[in-house]
Amino acid sequence: MIKNDTLSRVLYIDLSKMKSFVKDRKDLFEKYLGGTGVATQLLLEECPEGIDAFAPEAPIIFAVGPLTGAFPLASKTCAMFKSPHTGDLGESHAGGRSAIAIRMAGYGAIVIKGKSEIPIYLSISNGKVLFKNATTLWGMKDGSIAARVMRQSEGGEGLRAIFRIGQAGENMATFANVTTETYRHFGRLGLGAIFGSKMLKGIVISGKQMIEVANKKEYRSLYDQIYKAATELPVMKKYHDVGTAININSLNSAKALPVKNLQMSSTEDIKAVTGEEIAKHHLARRVACAHCPVACIHLAYLREAYDDDPYFYKTIPVCYDFELIYSLGTMVGITEPKALLKLIDIVEQVGVDAMSMGVILAWITEMFEKNMITKDDLNGISISWGDVEGYIKLVKNISKPATDFLKACAHGVDYASKIYGGKEFAMQFGKNEMPGYHTGPAGYLGFLLGARHSHLDNGGYSIDQKELIKVDLSPEQVVDKLLDEEAIRQILSSIAVCFFARGIYELKLVSEAIKLLGFDLDENKLHEIGKQIHLNKYKFKMREGFRIEKLEVPERIYETPDPTGKITKDFIKSGLDYAKNLIN
Amino acid sequence: MKLSVKDVMRCVGCQSCMFACSRRSGNAGLSNTCIGVKSTGGISRGYTVIVCRSCENPPCANVCPTGALVPKEGGGVRLISSKCIGCGLCKDACIIDAVFWNEEQNKPVICVQCGYCVDYCPYEVLELITDKKGVSHD
């Protein structure tokens, strides 16, 4: 890397001692680039084996990449931690201004350990870390208010990121998230709960430094090439126009969209919540992450009347995308857009992973329908498919649980179903609640084998839709493809670009771009590094007790029709057996 | 030529213009940007785009104690970096915060109205207009 690049500066913060220091870790960045690659190594270094995810010694790690602040779409921050939700690797990516702000503040990674005795937030700028008292922000029912206070108290407008948790994080619901810039999230696997366990309400970070490049002329020329691709290529148009929500219609038509806890894989009642219809009637504004011209963030405005006063309204901006329409829409039987937006809004307020929450709500509904739980378990709430007011109450109750059953739900659907039954329709994979892709066996193998149990680890759903729907592949072939793709995605999340830009940032281009930041690595070498990063992640997972043979698959996936017709127990088992031999 | 905000309501906050402006120096990052995009009290309320309005009687130049900021014919100022002592009075004098600051050099960065940023706004928020008289254009 380039000699003076601040990328290799790692900021270590100890919340117990209220101290911070910076260490140069060129060793890590030169070997693993940044982002996921570096964060994995820092996690292996900093996280004591077998530790409770909520112990003060358990670290939170953020890392950005060499391309952050230099090229468009390299705007992701990788967060790593021991997941309180799964007990193994916690990895979550967010955009907004998070990555740009960390890089521009002069750091490549941040490691936070310890636990504060009082609620605090961190203010990081101009080379200083300030520990600010956040007692007054603790316990607010809407997390966005805390963010507003931090916004008004701190400087760096336009150049800062504001991370914060909501009430669910404070109460350590294991799927609580961290929100940045109001609408972006470190969504999956419970980073918000780790913040809560450390009494860390939020972080404000800003800066505007220079990043030196190796060749100014080539830099500008390559920049223009990538910028042109980002703004003109059809592959980016989907994210730019209707957004990911465009997939609702196609997945529903293909019978790949989970409906009512995947009792069905499509619904006739879909029209009003398709991406096209929501855009037509509710889309109010599109916004972008810093240094990304695509602007894929879609905000709808929800106008609601107050019952007690005529001509008195509130208008709430609500961010939506494919995953939210699935998890808080079709998965719980909501197909009316205003109801959907209301449910999304409360989920944002309490600060939880929307996918996990939707799957949990769906499982609760089925449990209640089957009389496996009572109204008392739900703190007096009756629930049925599509009942938005009931779901809003449940979201609040799970974030601040009063009954044993709701407390169990705050640990996720795997944990709760082990106590209360209903495992066969508890839609979790590796203890993480499913995303909205009932596309075929590759999707499910992808969720099970992906290092962080995300549909974005390896794009298994894409193998289903592009290949398995037309041709036969053996389980072994599918696993090989998944692992190969995962190695490539480790590179993308290490440099660290948005996966939406994977059609632009092919390894050849990555090699050219990082060369301008002083990394001399060809495509083959990058592929090798990707494989190594993937192995390192598995090293952490195995160390913390993850075993492929322990994975449990809900029966429901074998019962509900899918587009390939190939989701069988044999296929999944053969795939897992094959992967076990490769990985173990 | 004069840089102008054509329609701020189209801004998505991607800050491509800011990176473009800083990239004129040849390097990456944001240290040299003299255009600013920030939310208007939260992203949902949209954005504020700050560009130098090339004032005809520029307050920034009027307060410069060393003559480092020289008013240009038709509006705006030119920075003579060798004369600048980095006192920051110009920054305080600009009530729209269009005098930006290079922290590494401790000197202002002043828009030269080159329009490089315009080509990197994918949503036509910015434009470069011909205006010898320096008449206001938003």
Side-chain angles (χ1 to χ4, degrees):
Chain A
M1 54 187 294
I2 286 172
K3 195 180 159 203
N4 295 325
D5 195 340
T6 54
L7 180 69
S8 57
R9 295 175 81 238
V10 178
L11 174 63
Y12 292 80
I13 299 170
D14 185 334
L15 298 175
S16 298
K17 295 179 182 158
M18 301 285 181
K19 279 174 75 173
S20 68
F21 63 93
V22 174
K23 220 191 255 185
D24 188 275
R25 296 304 306 270
K26 227 174 228 114
D27 56 324
L28 292 185
F29 283 86
E30 289 196 329
K31 200 167 173 190
Y32 295 114
L33 303 163
T36 294
V38 166
T40 305
Q41 285 311 112
L42 287 169
L43 186 68
L44 283 163
E45 281 178 17
E46 298 289 336
C47 187
E49 187 172 342
I51 200 164
D52 181 337
F54 292 141
E57 296 81 7
I60 294 166
I61 291 150
F62 294 108
V64 299
L67 300 193
T68 308
F71 287 100
L73 291 137
S75 301
K76 287 279 187 180
T77 303
C78 168
M80 281 229 187
F81 47 97
K82 176 162 177 170
S83 169
H85 200 58
T86 64
D88 60 77
L89 184 78
E91 179 184 357
S92 196
H93 303 166
R97 286 200 202 110
S98 64
I100 298 294
I102 292 172
R103 183 93 158 102
M104 291 294 99
Y107 308 105
I110 302 172
V111 176
I112 303 170
K113 293 180 84 168
K115 179 186 175 178
S116 171
E117 284 179 10
I118 57 161
I120 52 146
Y121 77 87
L122 297 170
S123 171
I124 306 170
S125 67
N126 298 321
K128 280 188 190 154
V129 178
L130 303 178
F131 299 85
K132 302 271 184 108
N133 192 332
T135 304
T136 319
L137 303 180
W138 206 257
M140 283 179 171
K141 63 183 179 188
D142 182 350
S144 72
I145 306 296
R148 194 181 296 173
V149 175
M150 287 187 263
R151 191 162 69 222
Q152 285 166 352
S153 304
E154 300 292 321
E157 293 96 330
L159 300 166
R160 65 189 172 188
I162 302 177
F163 300 177
R164 43 86 174 176
I165 57 168
Q167 209 169 52
E170 294 173 5
N171 295 329
M172 295 189 277
T174 60
F175 54 99
N177 68 13
V178 173
T179 302
T180 179
E181 282 65 78
T182 317
Y183 302 112
R184 300 292 87 193
H185 313 90
F186 294 98
R188 309 231 71 184
L189 298 167
L191 181 63
I194 308 282
F195 265 52
S197 75
K198 297 185 179 309
M199 304 288 273
L200 178 60
K201 181 68 184 175
I203 302 173
V204 185
I205 181 163
S206 67
K208 56 171 287 194
Q209 65 158 15
M210 179 188 82
I211 302 169
E212 200 181 321
V213 294
N215 182 317
K216 291 178 180 183
K217 199 175 157 200
E218 282 178 24
Y219 168 55
R220 276 167 45 155
S221 157
L222 190 61
Y223 189 101
D224 287 350
Q225 184 190 322
I226 295 172
Y227 183 85
K228 195 169 179 322
T231 48
E232 292 176 16
L233 273 189
V235 70
M236 300 310 294
K237 198 171 159 55
K238 162 177 145 184
Y239 304 115
H240 170 278
D241 291 349
V242 177
T244 56
I246 198 157
N247 289 339
I248 290 289
N249 206 13
S250 53
L251 287 186
N252 187 63
S253 304
K255 293 193 166 32
L257 184 67
V259 175
K260 295 184 181 172
N261 204 30
L262 197 63
Q263 293 182 83
M264 296 167 282
S265 51
S266 73
T267 169
E268 285 178 12
D269 202 16
I270 198 71
K271 188 160 185 264
V273 289
T274 57
E276 295 86 337
E277 285 297 304
I278 295 181
K280 196 168 162 188
H281 300 290
H282 304 277
L283 178 61
R285 186 183 287 280
R286 279 183 21 229
V287 295
C289 294
H291 212 179
C292 173
V294 177
C296 74
I297 306 165
H298 288 60
L299 302 183
Y301 273 30
L302 172 66
R303 180 172 177 252
E304 276 194 290
Y306 284 92
D307 295 337
D308 60 343
D309 198 347
Y311 302 105
F312 200 54
Y313 294 91
K314 58 179 172 182
T315 305
I316 310 161
V318 182
C319 182
Y320 68 92
D321 64 16
F322 169 78
E323 297 299 352
L324 298 167
I325 301 173
Y326 139 69
S327 62
L328 300 171
T330 61
M331 191 64 165
V332 292
I334 290 177
T335 48
E336 196 282 307
K338 279 198 168 182
L340 167 70
L341 295 173
K342 274 171 78 169
L343 187 56
I344 295 173
D345 183 52
I346 191 70
V347 165
E348 287 276 24
Q349 286 186 32
V350 301
V352 287
D353 176 2
M355 279 187 255
S356 287
M357 182 55 96
V359 172
I360 292 164
L361 294 175
W363 176 77
I364 292 174
T365 311
E366 203 169 333
M367 289 289 283
F368 192 70
E369 203 174 46
K370 290 183 158 65
N371 295 317
M372 292 169 78
I373 51 168
T374 66
K375 210 169 151 180
D376 286 344
D377 288 320
L378 299 179
N379 202 20
I381 302 163
S382 286
I383 198 67
S384 58
W385 300 113
D387 173 11
V388 67
E389 296 306 328
Y391 287 127
I392 288 171
K393 284 184 204 156
L394 276 180
V395 169
K396 291 180 184 171
N397 271 270
I398 292 168
S399 307
K400 204 175 174 184
T403 70
D404 287 342
F405 177 77
L406 292 167
K407 279 179 195 160
C409 289
H411 286 80
V413 80
D414 177 67
Y415 183 94
S417 64
K418 279 187 174 135
I419 301 171
Y420 292 92
K423 272 167 72 175
E424 58 283 6
F425 54 88
M427 302 314 296
Q428 59 72 37
F429 297 86
K431 300 183 187 173
N432 195 21
E433 287 74 17
M434 75 177 290
Y437 298 94
H438 182 63
T439 50
Y444 286 114
L445 282 170
F447 307 159
L448 290 159
L449 296 171
R452 60 186 167 130
H453 312 299
S454 162
H455 62 295
L456 285 171
D457 280 332
N458 42 46
Y461 57 92
S462 175
I463 299 174
D464 287 327
Q465 292 169 292
K466 287 182 185 153
E467 299 185 65
L468 278 172
I469 201 159
K470 292 181 247 165
V471 295
D472 282 331
L473 293 174
S474 70
E476 293 77 14
Q477 284 174 308
V478 168
V479 169
D480 283 339
K481 279 175 184 280
L482 292 172
L483 296 181
D484 195 51
E485 178 63 23
E486 185 142 14
I488 294 168
R489 294 195 183 201
Q490 302 310 325
I491 293 299
L492 296 183
S493 59
S494 295
I495 55 172
V497 301
C498 177
F499 282 178
F500 287 176
R502 60 188 181 273
I504 298 174
Y505 280 95
E506 291 177 346
L507 289 189
K508 185 172 174 291
L509 180 69
V510 172
S511 171
E512 288 170 31
I514 59 174
K515 195 173 180 192
L516 291 162
L517 279 304
F519 291 83
D520 192 10
L521 300 162
D522 64 20
E523 291 162 73
N524 293 333
K525 186 74 188 147
L526 284 171
H527 205 262
E528 286 308 307
I529 294 172
K531 279 189 196 166
Q532 186 58 50
I533 294 169
H534 189 204
L535 283 176
N536 292 347
K537 281 176 157 178
Y538 256 92
K539 190 169 154 189
F540 182 84
K541 287 171 72 70
M542 305 300 270
R543 197 189 86 175
E544 300 302 318
F546 173 84
R547 295 289 179 274
I548 288 176
E549 55 270 32
K550 282 204 254 172
L551 290 168
E552 291 179 282
V553 179
E555 291 289 318
R556 176 66 46 84
I557 67 165
Y558 304 119
E559 298 159 358
T560 304
D562 78 288
T564 67
K566 292 171 186 166
I567 307 177
T568 65
K569 283 187 183 177
D570 279 351
F571 198 109
I572 299 290
K573 187 177 179 308
S574 304
L576 292 179
D577 286 345
Y578 176 68
K580 191 170 73 185
N581 290 329
L582 289 180
I583 292 167
N584 283 0
Chain B
M1 301 296 271
K2 180 178 150 133
L3 181 64
S4 178
V5 180
K6 187 174 162 188
D7 185 356
V8 73
M9 297 304 282
R10 294 176 67 108
C11 180
V12 298
C14 71
Q15 302 186 328
S16 295
C17 55
M18 291 167 61
F19 283 93
C21 182
S22 204
R23 200 165 58 251
R24 286 178 312 128
S25 70
N27 283 314
L30 286 171
S31 63
N32 270 325
T33 188
C34 38
I35 181 165
V37 177
K38 61 182 186 181
S39 75
T40 308
I43 288 166
S44 57
R45 291 179 177 84
Y47 294 90
T48 301
V49 179
I50 302 165
V51 300
C52 172
R53 299 194 66 234
S54 301
C55 305
E56 260 195 290
N57 181 17
C60 55
N62 291 340
V63 297
C64 178
T66 62
L69 287 174
V70 183
K72 291 195 292 188
E73 194 186 336
V77 291
R78 182 166 59 90
L79 173 71
I80 304 169
S81 191
S82 58
K83 284 192 181 181
C84 174
I85 56 170
C87 67
L89 288 177
C90 52
K91 191 174 184 301
D92 296 340
C94 180
I95 62 164
I96 62 165
D97 295 328
V99 173
F100 293 84
W101 204 255
N102 183 318
E103 300 290 344
E104 285 141 10
Q105 292 167 10
N106 193 39
K107 293 202 177 181
V109 270
I110 303 286
C111 177
V112 295
Q113 312 288 334
C114 71
Y116 190 68
C117 54
V118 177
D119 292 338
Y120 293 91
C121 176
Y123 300 101
E124 297 178 50
V125 175
L126 302 166
E127 66 179 340
L128 199 59
I129 52 175
T130 311
D131 189 340
K132 285 181 186 164
K133 291 177 188 165
V135 175
S136 356
H137 291 267
D138 294 336

